[in-house]
């Protein structure tokens, strides 16, 4: 093959998202390897943008409730002291984080998941942590990995339009993912990766304490609700999401992933129904 042909082929592979050298079988990236740990950029601080139009309902929670998620309101600091040679588990590390910056720093320092070695950036969250609504997607893609923010690529743009249709934006919603690092080549997260990162996202929910949870796509829905059904069965109804301590429940709903809607536009009618359910819940709380 000539050099210019090889270059054209390479450009085409990058354009379709094949920008990592990966094997046919996904390696278990929850296992430690000898590979050097690539430093991960600290997560960018969430910078809410001003709302483009006033929503029909209060976008954020009353200050007292929102403030209760901050570090100052939680006096007891739970520390994990790792024994020499024994890495603390993601569950121990997550439980020790008493506010969002601490959780972001804890994830950034977590070396148990090898996805961080192929990712460019940690993707922690975007939006307003005092918002009433928290959305949880699957995992960052290429654009999110480059920019360090969730849902900023093509499917993120559709998600923004879906939110705008019910009066929400990134000032009145908070967004994260099950996995904080991009799986190479945008492959599906493995069960082991999801299990390892789940304590982080569950702690994330506890610290944000939203009024409404929206699980975006089947991977997020089944992981967060611990259900085996697919998104077709899980969407369109309300669930009670239980926090780790089991004391608190939060209204939760599952919606189609925008990447799926881009491939299957006929499902947009059902997606609209789900969005209307979220809007009704926000207009008529409890
Ligand atoms: N898909 C997701 O599930 N999350 C993102 O952040 C981007 C695409």
């Amino acid at each position: 093959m000539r050099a210019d042909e090889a270059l054209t082929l390479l450009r085409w592979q990058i354009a379709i998202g094949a920008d990592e050298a990966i094997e046919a079988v996904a390696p278990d990236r929850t296992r430690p390897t000898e590979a050097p740990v690539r430093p991960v950029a600290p997560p960018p601080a969430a910078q809410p943008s001003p709302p483009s139009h006033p929503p029909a309902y209060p976008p954020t929670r009353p200050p007292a409730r929102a403030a209760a998620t901050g570090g100052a309101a939680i006096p007891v600091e739970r520390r994990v002291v790792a024994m020499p040679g024994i890495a603390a588990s993601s569950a121990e590390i997550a439980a020790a984080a008493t506010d969002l910056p601490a959780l972001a720093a804890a994830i950034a320092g977590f070396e148990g998941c090898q996805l961080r070695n192929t990712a460019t950036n940690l993707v922690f969250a975007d939006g307003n942590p005092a918002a009433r609504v928290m959305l949880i997607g699957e995992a960052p893609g290429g654009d999110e990995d480059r920019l360090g923010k969730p849902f900023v690529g093509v499917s993120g743009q559709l998600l923004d339009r879906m939110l705008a249709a019910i009066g929400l934006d990134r000032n009145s919603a908070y967004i994260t993912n099950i996995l904080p690092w991009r799986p190479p080549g945008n492959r599906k997260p493995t069960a082991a990766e999801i299990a390892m990162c789940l304590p982080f996202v569950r702690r994330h929910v506890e610290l944000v304490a939203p009024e409404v949870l929206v699980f975006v796509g089947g991977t997020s829905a089944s992981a967060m609700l611990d259900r085996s059904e697919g998104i077709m069965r899980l969407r369109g109804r309300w669930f009670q999401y239980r926090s780790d301590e089991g004391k608190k429940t939060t209204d939760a709903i599952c919606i189609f992933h925008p990447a799926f809607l881009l491939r299957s536009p006929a499902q947009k009618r059902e997606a609209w129904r789900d969005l209307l359910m979220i809007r009704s819940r926000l207009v008529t709380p409890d």
Side-chain angles (χ1 to χ4, degrees):
M1 189 186 292
R2 294 196 330 254
D4 61 326
E5 287 172 345
L7 210 56
T8 306
L9 182 59
L10 204 57
R11 285 207 187 98
W12 177 75
Q13 284 176 329
I14 292 169
I16 63 168
D19 53 2
E20 303 280 347
I22 54 172
E23 291 156 24
V25 177
D28 183 353
R29 291 179 189 276
T30 60
R31 293 237 178 106
T33 68
E34 295 303 312
V37 174
R38 194 198 295 178
V40 175
Q47 287 175 344
S49 49
S52 49
H53 51 83
Y57 37 78
T60 54
R61 288 161 281 149
R65 190 165 168 225
T69 65
I74 304 168
V76 182
E77 192 182 336
R78 283 175 283 165
R79 276 186 189 277
V80 173
V81 181
M83 292 169 67
I86 299 178
S89 73
S90 54
E92 290 171 301
I93 291 169
T98 53
D99 58 23
L100 293 175
L103 182 64
I107 299 173
F110 179 65
E111 293 182 3
C113 183
Q114 299 306 310
L115 286 177
R116 59 176 283 157
N117 293 334
T118 47
T120 307
N121 280 305
L122 169 70
V123 178
F124 183 65
D126 192 25
N128 185 351
R132 297 171 65 197
V133 182
M134 178 173 184
L135 293 102
I136 301 176
E138 178 177 309
D143 293 319
E144 291 76 17
D145 182 50
R146 244 185 322 278
L147 298 174
K149 278 190 184 187
F151 283 105
V152 289
V154 183
S155 60
Q157 287 158 19
L158 177 54
L159 183 65
D160 284 344
R161 290 200 296 278
M162 290 162 70
L163 292 177
I166 54 167
L168 295 175
D169 58 19
R170 292 189 188 221
N171 192 45
S172 51
Y174 184 74
I175 308 179
T176 188
N177 279 306
I178 299 283
L179 297 192
W181 297 282
R182 178 198 186 205
N186 294 345
R187 65 162 168 75
K188 280 258 164 219
T190 64
E193 287 160 356
I194 292 173
M196 182 171 273
C197 294
L198 207 52
F200 292 132
V201 72
R202 288 182 66 87
R203 184 72 183 136
H204 209 151
V205 171
E206 283 181 345
L207 293 171
V208 172
E211 200 177 307
V212 173
L213 276 164
V214 181
F215 303 137
V216 183
T219 301
S220 168
S222 53
M224 294 302 289
L225 294 172
D226 194 19
R227 311 264 307 212
S228 56
E229 301 101 307
I231 186 69
M232 291 290 177
R233 287 184 182 276
L234 294 176
R235 59 151 290 275
R237 57 192 166 123
W238 288 101
F239 291 89
Q240 288 300 303
Y241 169 83
R242 283 194 172 276
S243 72
D244 278 354
E245 317 228 320
K247 293 186 202 114
K248 187 173 184 303
T249 58
T250 306
D251 290 348
I253 194 165
C254 311
I255 63 171
F256 287 133
H257 196 288
F260 168 74
L261 290 174
L262 287 169
R263 293 192 303 272
S264 314
Q267 297 290 346
K268 282 187 182 168
R269 177 205 292 252
E270 302 304 319
W272 176 237
R273 291 202 178 133
D274 299 339
L275 292 172
L276 290 180
M277 287 175 72
I278 298 170
R279 187 173 71 173
S280 302
R281 170 63 183 74
L282 292 171
V283 173
T284 343
D286 302 327

